[in-house]
Amino acid sequence: MAKIVGGLTSSHIPSVGNAYARKLFQDPYWKPFFDAYPKIHTWLGEKKPDVAVILYNDHGLNFFLDKMPTFAIGAAFEYNNQDEGWGIPVVGTFKGHPELSWHIINSIQAENFDLTTCQEMAVDHGFAVPAQLFWGNPDENQMRFIPICINTVQHPIPTPARCYAFGQALGRALASYKGDEKIVVVGTGGLSHQLDGERAGFINKKFDLYCMDKIVHEPEELAKMTTHDLVLEAGAQGAEFILWLAMRGALEGQGTVTKVMENYHIPISNTGAGSMVLELT
Amino acid sequence: MSTEAIEVEIPGTVMFDGNQAMKGYALNKMCYSFNGAAAREAFRADEEAYMTSFGLNEQQKQAIRHRNVLELIAAGGNIYYLAKFAGIFGLSVQDVGAQQTGMTVDEFKAMLVKQGE
Ligand SMILES: [Fe+2]
């Protein structure tokens, strides 16, 4: 049977894509952010997952307001990263795992979550930046990827509770797959930030640290928040934290969760940037 | 026509809900097109014709002419699509943040750093 080795989180700030391409790992501005990732690479080197399910939000590359799915999953052989309009480097094509995608779709649908299935899906920085931070550019690794996109663009977005429950259904789907894959589940985005309005530049360190603490052993506390709570405390785009909660849901009930490492730094771009490794045993 | 507002307002924040999505559809659709290099070129070549081809209303056109993010949001713009418009002019999210908060870019960046202390 397939095995979930754990969960990862990472902010997916677009300017990280530029900094990565320019190898600014030791630059004083970027170092407190990039320093987290070698520790994560060490953990990945030990656990050796071969499939990553990445929970992310599209920021207007693949989906537009003409059709805006709440939960969309890739079921393709490959996924292209493409031009997003403001000049971060295009990193190429990620390999998919359509057989596992369809297993997830069948399993989750049977639990009454209705998914939009995508046999073509361009993946933006929300997916590509974390994938690059963890595994390098797509031509530098043998990983297979499954993108799951959750709407954070247009309200009403799914509630924290719904995303946490969705994650739990995802965890059951992965654990019941009859392959010998080792799977890591990735929650991306966040933490607190707001790009729009007079409140632009809002960051909430206290709230971010609270979330990073609670998500390890008391995620159900975080799942009690409303969307309004989340926008108020984390900022309009900090609502992306629902992606971290979905990741955490996938670990729940699948074993013992242990925090291996965490990192938090303000600011990267306009954001409180966080990353974590949660191991499942 | 209007849909139910979600909840109490958060100062300085416009929830991009059904009302905003309806109001801003043409504007956001134009900005979404800027994912493509050819669309960015077409806009640069003739802004007025490009805006008209997407059916922007006068409020939206004015906000585009002014390069004013708060006006664009008031006209129904969604920040994720507006970012692609800002990208045409090489503006970062700090530039956009500074403009909306009435700060210089340096003041805005200092405000970001301060929140980490
Ligand atoms: Fe994002």
Side-chain angles (χ1 to χ4, degrees), chain A residues 25-274:
Chain A
F25 310 129
Q26 296 302 319
D27 176 273
Y29 180 85
W30 291 100
K31 188 172 165 49
F33 175 82
F34 282 118
D35 272 358
Y37 292 86
K39 294 172 207 158
I40 302 176
H41 298 157
T42 301
W43 182 80
L44 287 169
E46 287 163 12
K47 298 296 158 187
K48 298 185 176 52
D50 40 29
V51 178
V53 176
I54 301 191
L55 296 144
Y56 77 110
N57 61 300
D58 180 82
H59 307 70
L61 177 67
N62 190 69
F63 295 112
F64 178 60
L65 304 172
D66 58 339
K67 305 167 193 77
M68 184 55 66
T70 297
F71 294 102
I73 181 169
F77 288 92
E78 56 184 35
Y79 304 95
N80 291 323
N81 178 228
Q82 292 173 3
D83 185 0
E84 294 182 54
W86 23 254
I88 64 168
V90 173
V91 299
T93 301
F94 295 88
K95 287 179 281 295
H97 192 328
E99 191 190 325
L100 177 53
S101 290
W102 283 106
H103 171 77
I104 296 170
I105 293 160
N106 291 329
S107 176
I108 290 188
Q109 202 83 11
E111 295 201 42
N112 299 319
F113 284 92
D114 307 309
L115 291 166
T116 299
T117 58
C118 306
Q119 292 202 58
E120 291 186 39
M121 193 171 183
V123 289
D124 76 356
H125 67 271
F127 174 99
V129 163
Q132 194 178 32
L133 286 167
F134 295 140
W135 294 286
N137 289 326
D139 58 357
E140 295 168 343
N141 65 67
Q142 291 304 309
M143 290 294 289
R144 288 186 289 174
F145 295 92
I146 298 179
I148 298 181
C149 178
I150 302 182
N151 166 36
T152 66
V153 171
Q154 175 181 270
H155 291 282
I157 64 175
T159 62
R162 185 66 172 160
C163 292
Y164 184 58
F166 176 86
Q168 290 176 280
L170 172 63
R172 288 188 285 271
L174 297 175
S176 66
Y177 185 61
K178 289 184 177 49
D180 55 8
E181 280 81 349
K182 283 183 283 189
I183 304 167
V184 66
V185 184
V186 183
T188 76
L191 289 159
S192 61
H193 64 300
Q194 177 153 341
L195 303 177
D196 52 339
E198 293 88 347
R199 201 168 74 130
F202 172 83
I203 299 176
N204 188 344
K205 182 177 182 177
K206 198 173 157 209
F207 181 73
D208 288 343
L209 296 177
Y210 167 80
C211 288
M212 289 181 80
D213 177 46
K214 289 286 176 192
I215 200 168
V216 183
H217 296 302
E218 297 170 85
E220 64 285 349
E221 283 301 307
L222 300 171
K224 287 177 190 163
M225 288 188 288
T226 64
T227 299
H228 187 268
D229 293 337
L230 201 48
V231 172
L232 183 68
E233 296 292 345
Q237 284 72 41
E240 288 176 349
F241 185 70
I242 57 176
L243 305 164
W244 289 43
L245 266 182
M247 175 286 294
R248 181 60 183 83
L251 310 183
E252 191 61 20
Q254 302 298 336
T256 304
V257 173
T258 314
K259 182 173 72 184
V260 175
M261 64 76 68
E262 67 180 344
N263 189 58
Y264 181 75
H265 176 67
I266 294 177
I268 289 297
S269 189
N270 291 21
T271 305

